[in-house]
Amino acid sequence: SYVLTQPPSVSVAPGKTARITCAGNNIGRESVHWYQQKPGQAPVLVMSDDSDRPSGIPERFSGAKSGSTATLTISRVEAGDEADFYCQVWDSYTDRYVFGTGTKVTVL
Amino acid sequence: QLHLVQSGSEWKKPGASVKVSCKASGYTFTDYGVHWVRQAPGQGLEWMGWINTNTGNPAYAQDFTGRFVFSLDTSVSTAYLQISSLKGEDTAVYYCARDSNRRTDSWGQGTLVTVSS
């Protein structure tokens, strides 16, 4: 089955850059989307189609994909960025959504 | 403004059934599919499946066949998730979310379903 692997945790100091990776064998053929979930809240789409930032998402958030890995980058990290982040693709071979394993971003 | 509003928390005994609603507003309901996502306590997001709001056809993820049913009432722009024969491991927050080109661009606030005797 399709698996998207993320690091369980990423720690970053305020003002620095956080990079969250999402690895999957066939990720190159699919669009990757990213969600941020703060404690007690529903997920919010923060990056679409690998690198498109939805309206209202700060420019500090950017996305990229290379080979079998997609990366969400948060520049100039703020305390309010602390959350769980999930990547997601639509597996076109099986017609199903796949979520990544999730990464907890901690701001030191 | 686009909104998905879900029904409130539920507490059920094992073996009972529950029906969670997801009412959409601010857009044409039948133009966008609805996904259902489960999040067990302290765990990640798990895709349960989705329903085509134009045709009414549901599609279920492999782990969510049999006891889980997606349905619609398009007259009130509402999607439903029904779970029967509830088990303790069904305790989770259940989210509905709007499909937009194979991603979800708006989510309900979540419904906590607790299964306990």
Side-chain angles (χ1 to χ4, degrees), chain A residues 13-85:
Chain A
K16 300 299 185 181
T17 298
R19 294 180 179 86
I20 308 162
T21 57
C22 173
N25 282 342
N26 298 310
I27 206 170
R29 70 164 193 254
E30 312 291 1
S31 292
V32 180
H33 317 295
W34 291 90
Y35 302 87
Q36 177 187 43
Q37 185 181 32
K38 295 183 179 180
Q41 298 184 19
V44 172
L45 181 68
V46 294
M47 195 61 57
S48 179
D49 294 322
D50 301 340
S51 58
D52 287 343
R53 196 173 50 251
S55 173
I57 303 302
E59 291 183 8
R60 301 184 296 104
F61 287 76
S62 62
K65 189 173 68 179
S66 178
S68 60
T69 302
T71 303
L72 178 71
T73 300
I74 312 172
S75 304
R76 301 181 301 283
V77 165
E78 303 173 356
D81 297 331
E82 196 164 91
D84 294 325
F85 289 82

Side-chain angles (χ1 to χ4, degrees), chain B:
Chain B
Q1 192 169 358
L2 167 59
H3 280 301
L4 295 175
V5 178
Q6 299 184 223
S7 49
S9 298
E10 301 268 8
W11 190 296
K12 297 290 185 181
K13 292 186 176 182
S17 296
V18 69
K19 194 169 187 178
V20 176
S21 66
C22 170
K23 182 171 177 59
S25 61
Y27 70 98
T28 300
F29 181 66
T30 50
D31 283 350
Y32 298 83
V34 173
H35 295 266
W36 289 95
V37 176
R38 182 171 79 176
Q39 188 168 37
Q43 302 300 308
L45 303 175
E46 190 175 15
W47 183 69
M48 301 174 65
W50 76 295
I51 185 164
N52 184 318
T53 54
N54 192 38
T55 65
N57 288 340
Y60 300 95
Q62 190 170 3
D63 290 343
F64 296 95
T65 57
R67 298 188 299 116
F68 301 84
V69 176
F70 307 148
S71 61
L72 303 170
D73 185 343
T74 56
S75 69
V76 290
S77 301
T78 300
Y80 300 95
L81 162 66
Q82 184 160 0
I83 312 171
S84 59
S85 303
L86 283 162
K87 307 174 183 180
E89 52 262 44
D90 295 323
T91 295
V93 175
Y94 293 84
Y95 292 101
C96 63
R98 190 180 84 158
D99 178 80
S100 177
N101 294 326
R102 298 297 188 250
R103 61 187 180 273
T104 45
D105 64 354
S106 184
W107 294 60
Q109 82 275 21
T111 297
L112 173 62
V113 175
T114 303
V115 183
S116 174
S117 54

